[in-house]
Amino acid sequence: MKEEHLHCDFIFGNDPEQRLGNKTRLCKHDGRFRWSGVKREEYKSSGNDWAGIVRQTLIGNSGESARFHLRYFEIEPGGRSSFEMHRHEHVVVVIRGKGICVAGKKKLRMKFLDTLYIEPEMPHQLQNPYDEPFGFFCIVNARRDKPKLLSQRD
Amino acid sequence: MKEEHLHCDFIFGNDPEQRLGNKTRLCKHDGRFRWSGVKREEYKSSGNDWAGIVRQTLIGNSGESARFHLRYFEIEPGGRSSFEMHRHEHVVVVIRGKGICVAGKKKLRMKFLDTLYIEPEMPHQLQNPYDEPFGFFCIVNARRDKPKLLSQRD
């Protein structure tokens, strides 16, 4: 069996129409929190309730049949996500730096590999008050409701 | 707002009947690939087609409503998972050491934060031929079919 070092756009078969889609593929990490074949995108296309946050969707933008999506978000020092709530759950796993998650009335400090389950309808916000980037995976259901924005409390 | 350092068995509310369940909770990482409140378990309860692999279920054993489960598997040097296939998808994210994933006729080398999508019905096996532990998250649908064991090819 041949041992190969393959990249994100690697799939089984050579049909160019099926370059991504629901195909086995490996997204290689470049050592700097970027993955081969994965775009760096804005967190949201509008709004001013968030700042300094970008998104990479590793699983979920290519017609995958899995019932969940895997995204990586990175918040620069001083940045924050929207303060919001929704019916779907979040699972947050820190992989870079450290940060804070406001969840209801609590402020939870999070660091490397800390894993947070956020229950449905829990108001929450991710914040980076520190001096290095705060990066985390966020796993969500593939089918999910739209977040409801909440007013800022701090 | 109070800043707190909370643990996996932290939930909102004080009802002891609801210590886990579908509640917001933080599983703190101890710096050595163990999480507060998460048990270290056998990979499978039977079979001799696998070796040197343990499981920790971070999300999925506590009545969570999310449509996915998050597990951490660790394979010791020389160990391997079953060679198997199933209809459900796998997403594998390496967080410790390095290893190999056999997927169909390919052998994919994987290291820190490399992310693999394994499509439905793809025969696969995770192996650790190296001299340090190989640890990875594996995300799956909450509702999924039972794996079918395949004969070993190497």
Side-chain angles (χ1 to χ4, degrees):
Chain A
M1 194 176 293
K2 218 167 75 177
E3 185 167 327
E4 296 182 84
H5 217 86
L6 295 158
H7 300 276
C8 192
D9 54 3
F10 156 76
I11 57 151
F12 289 77
N14 294 311
D15 180 353
E17 293 298 304
Q18 296 186 338
R19 283 190 69 249
L20 285 172
N22 199 37
K23 291 292 169 187
T24 298
R25 67 179 193 275
L26 180 59
C27 296
K28 300 291 290 180
H29 175 237
D30 74 353
R32 291 169 301 150
F33 302 93
R34 298 289 301 268
W35 287 264
S36 56
V38 180
K39 282 187 300 192
R40 210 168 140 93
E41 300 174 292
E42 270 197 326
Y43 166 67
K44 289 182 177 175
S45 56
S46 63
N48 58 5
D49 58 318
W50 53 273
I53 173 167
V54 292
R55 164 204 306 256
Q56 293 179 69
T57 300
L58 285 95
I59 307 295
N61 270 354
S62 304
E64 299 93 338
S65 56
R67 295 191 179 279
F68 55 87
H69 292 174
L70 172 66
R71 299 94 47 86
Y72 172 72
F73 293 94
E74 198 169 280
I75 306 182
E76 65 187 43
R80 63 188 187 283
S81 66
S82 296
F83 182 53
E84 62 186 30
M85 61 187 279
H86 37 67
R87 286 194 302 277
H88 63 272
E89 309 81 0
H90 271 184
V91 170
V92 172
V93 183
V94 177
I95 59 166
R96 182 176 196 180
K98 56 188 179 171
I100 284 175
C101 183
V102 175
K105 294 179 178 175
K106 305 281 184 178
K107 269 191 164 182
L108 307 172
R109 285 184 294 178
M110 297 185 71
K111 58 169 179 41
F112 186 61
L113 296 184
D114 285 348
T115 299
L116 177 65
Y117 181 76
I118 304 178
E119 70 185 76
E121 307 288 8
M122 173 63 71
H124 60 277
Q125 180 180 52
L126 281 296
Q127 304 172 344
N128 183 1
Y130 303 111
D131 56 6
E132 58 178 334
F134 171 38
F136 53 90
F137 289 127
C138 179
I139 316 166
V140 288
N141 296 336
R143 295 182 68 170
R144 58 189 182 274
D145 61 316
K146 200 174 161 179
K148 190 188 302 178
L149 295 182
L150 304 170
S151 60
Q152 209 70 28
R153 295 177 306 172
D154 61 349
Chain B
M1 194 176 293
K2 220 166 76 180
E3 185 167 327
E4 295 182 83
H5 216 85
L6 295 159
H7 300 278
C8 191
D9 54 2
F10 156 75
I11 57 152
F12 289 78
N14 294 312
D15 181 353
E17 294 299 303
Q18 297 186 340
R19 282 191 69 248
L20 286 171
N22 198 38
K23 291 293 169 186
T24 298
R25 68 178 192 275
L26 180 59
C27 296
K28 300 291 291 180
H29 175 238
D30 73 354
R32 292 169 300 150
F33 303 93
R34 297 289 302 268
W35 287 264
S36 56
V38 180
K39 283 187 300 193
R40 210 169 141 91
E41 300 174 293
E42 271 199 327
Y43 167 66
K44 288 182 178 175
S45 56
S46 63
N48 59 4
D49 59 317
W50 54 272
I53 174 168
V54 292
R55 164 206 305 258
Q56 293 178 70
T57 300
L58 285 94
I59 306 295
N61 270 353
S62 305
E64 298 92 338
S65 56
R67 294 190 179 277
F68 55 88
H69 292 174
L70 172 66
R71 300 94 47 87
Y72 172 72
F73 293 94
E74 198 169 281
I75 307 182
E76 64 186 44
R80 64 188 185 283
S81 66
S82 297
F83 183 53
E84 62 186 31
M85 61 187 280
H86 37 67
R87 287 194 301 278
H88 63 272
E89 309 81 0
H90 272 184
V91 170
V92 172
V93 184
V94 178
I95 58 166
R96 182 176 197 180
K98 57 187 179 171
I100 284 176
C101 183
V102 175
K105 295 179 176 174
K106 304 280 184 180
K107 269 191 165 184
L108 307 172
R109 285 184 295 178
M110 297 184 71
K111 57 168 178 45
F112 186 62
L113 296 184
D114 285 348
T115 299
L116 178 65
Y117 181 77
I118 304 178
E119 69 186 76
E121 307 288 8
M122 174 63 70
H124 61 277
Q125 180 180 52
L126 281 295
Q127 304 172 342
N128 183 2
Y130 303 109
D131 57 6
E132 59 177 333
F134 171 38
F136 52 90
F137 289 127
C138 179
I139 316 166
V140 288
N141 296 336
R143 295 183 67 170
R144 57 189 183 273
D145 61 315
K146 201 174 160 178
K148 189 188 302 177
L149 294 182
L150 303 170
S151 61
Q152 210 69 30
R153 295 177 307 172
D154 61 349

